[in-house]
Amino acid sequence: MVKDLYLIAGLIIWCLPAILALAGQSWQTETGSLSPVVMALGLWTLWQTLRTSQTSRSQVPAGLAILAIMLLLPLHLAGAILDMSALLGLTAWAGLCVVFTASQGLARTREAAFALLFIGLIIPLPYSLSLPMTLRLREAIADWATDVAWLAGMDVALDRDTIIIGGYELAVDAACSGLNSTLSLTAIGLLYAYWSRNHGWHRMAIICCLSIPIALAANILRVVFLMLLVTWTGLDVLSSYLHPLSGIVSFMAAMMLLWSCDRLLDQLGLYARPWIAREG
């Protein structure tokens, strides 16, 4: 028990610079604003996995763990000195995996692999990946939202990523591109699917696949809703509380839709079992 407390204290010291760097940089952006929630859920999942594990605890030779930490240390220090939050986050997460494996053993690490990988989702993507993703998603959201609004009978046109409606020009910015909610809902969808894995891995895969189109659909409807508000009240509505509130509402609606799809799969499974039994 005392040894575990020392390990936890060491991990806190090891990870604290990364947490502070991420809190001051990545977590202040639209894309990473929900990363603290993802980290908390990942740590909770890790704890629950350990608490319910039936696998006996073993230990990896301490020399291998020390060697791995020594190899990570120069990169960790470089990330702290150069203020590179992504590098700090990566080395902090790698250190967590090393210490967990060394203290719990390979068998328990395999059981906790999902939780450890889930925590790794807080590591920010390089700008070379996140920026093109944001730009392409912004253009796609603007295009799809314009099509939906046109089908709904609204007088709307699109000029690249600028929506023209009622004499107003609306630029779809990063906050409305949906990258944050898409990544966050996908992450939470993965977690939800993991905890429902007893219903079957095929169902887990379906839930994971559904989380992405549901998140995109929710953001398209959010943009269409904002377009309606602008036509009714003018551009001032975009600087009011309704703009961020629409993002929260769309995210909650997407979560409810994901849960509803899971319940529907449950009902389809119940209805399919008697039919399969009769056919058999």
Side-chain angles (χ1 to χ4, degrees):
M1 183 65 180
V2 175
K3 184 179 179 180
D4 289 340
L5 292 177
Y6 281 127
L7 288 176
I8 293 173
L11 275 175
I12 292 174
I13 296 173
W14 174 266
C15 296
L16 187 59
I19 293 174
L20 293 176
L22 290 170
Q25 298 179 29
S26 174
W27 294 355
Q28 300 293 325
T29 65
E30 188 270 342
T31 303
S33 59
L34 289 180
S35 292
V37 177
V38 172
M39 182 179 69
L41 289 173
L43 291 173
W44 177 80
T45 303
L46 185 62
W47 165 250
Q48 291 296 320
T49 302
L50 282 178
R51 190 177 65 85
T52 59
S53 176
Q54 302 296 321
T55 304
S56 59
R57 178 174 175 176
S58 60
Q59 290 186 338
V60 173
L64 292 177
I66 293 174
L67 177 61
I69 292 296
M70 293 302 294
L71 292 175
L72 288 172
L73 185 58
L75 295 174
H76 199 62
L77 292 175
I81 294 171
L82 300 176
D83 197 22
M84 298 174 63
S85 60
L87 180 58
L88 266 175
L90 180 61
T91 54
W93 174 77
L96 170 65
C97 294
V98 169
V99 172
F100 186 89
T101 303
S103 62
Q104 302 296 322
L106 293 175
R108 280 197 168 191
T109 301
R110 284 193 293 268
E111 285 187 354
F114 175 85
L116 291 170
L117 292 173
F118 189 84
I119 295 172
L121 293 176
I122 69 171
I123 302 171
L125 292 174
Y127 284 116
S128 58
L129 292 177
S130 62
L131 185 58
M133 288 173 59
T134 300
L135 293 176
R136 291 178 182 178
L137 191 56
R138 180 190 303 176
E139 293 177 357
I141 291 291
D143 189 16
W144 294 333
T146 301
D147 290 341
V148 172
W150 182 80
L151 291 173
M154 300 171 63
D155 185 15
V156 61
L158 179 65
D159 181 14
R160 295 185 180 179
D161 59 352
T162 300
I163 299 173
I164 303 172
I165 181 169
Y168 300 108
E169 294 185 359
L170 310 178
V172 179
D173 57 13
C176 290
S177 67
L179 182 60
N180 178 40
S181 59
T182 301
L183 294 177
S184 300
L185 183 66
T186 302
I188 295 174
L190 285 170
L191 185 64
Y192 181 83
Y194 173 76
W195 284 112
S196 64
R197 65 190 184 282
N198 291 333
H199 295 160
W201 289 99
H202 62 285
R203 180 163 161 183
M204 179 179 176
I206 292 173
I207 295 172
C208 292
C209 293
L210 284 175
S211 62
I212 297 177
I214 286 175
L216 293 175
N219 279 282
I220 291 170
L221 294 178
R222 177 194 180 191
V223 174
V224 173
F225 175 70
L226 290 174
M227 291 162 60
L228 283 171
L229 289 179
V230 167
T231 58
W232 293 339
T233 62
L235 287 175
D236 291 340
V237 70
L238 297 181
S239 58
S240 69
Y241 70 93
L242 291 176
H243 193 183
L245 180 62
S246 65
I248 297 173
V249 172
S250 66
F251 183 80
M252 295 303 297
M255 286 299 302
M256 289 299 298
L257 183 56
L258 184 64
W259 179 83
S260 299
C261 289
D262 183 48
R263 295 299 92 194
L264 178 60
L265 290 173
D266 190 37
Q267 292 299 317
L268 290 175
L270 290 176
Y271 292 142
R273 288 190 194 109
W275 181 81
I276 293 173
R278 288 196 301 269
E279 290 295 320

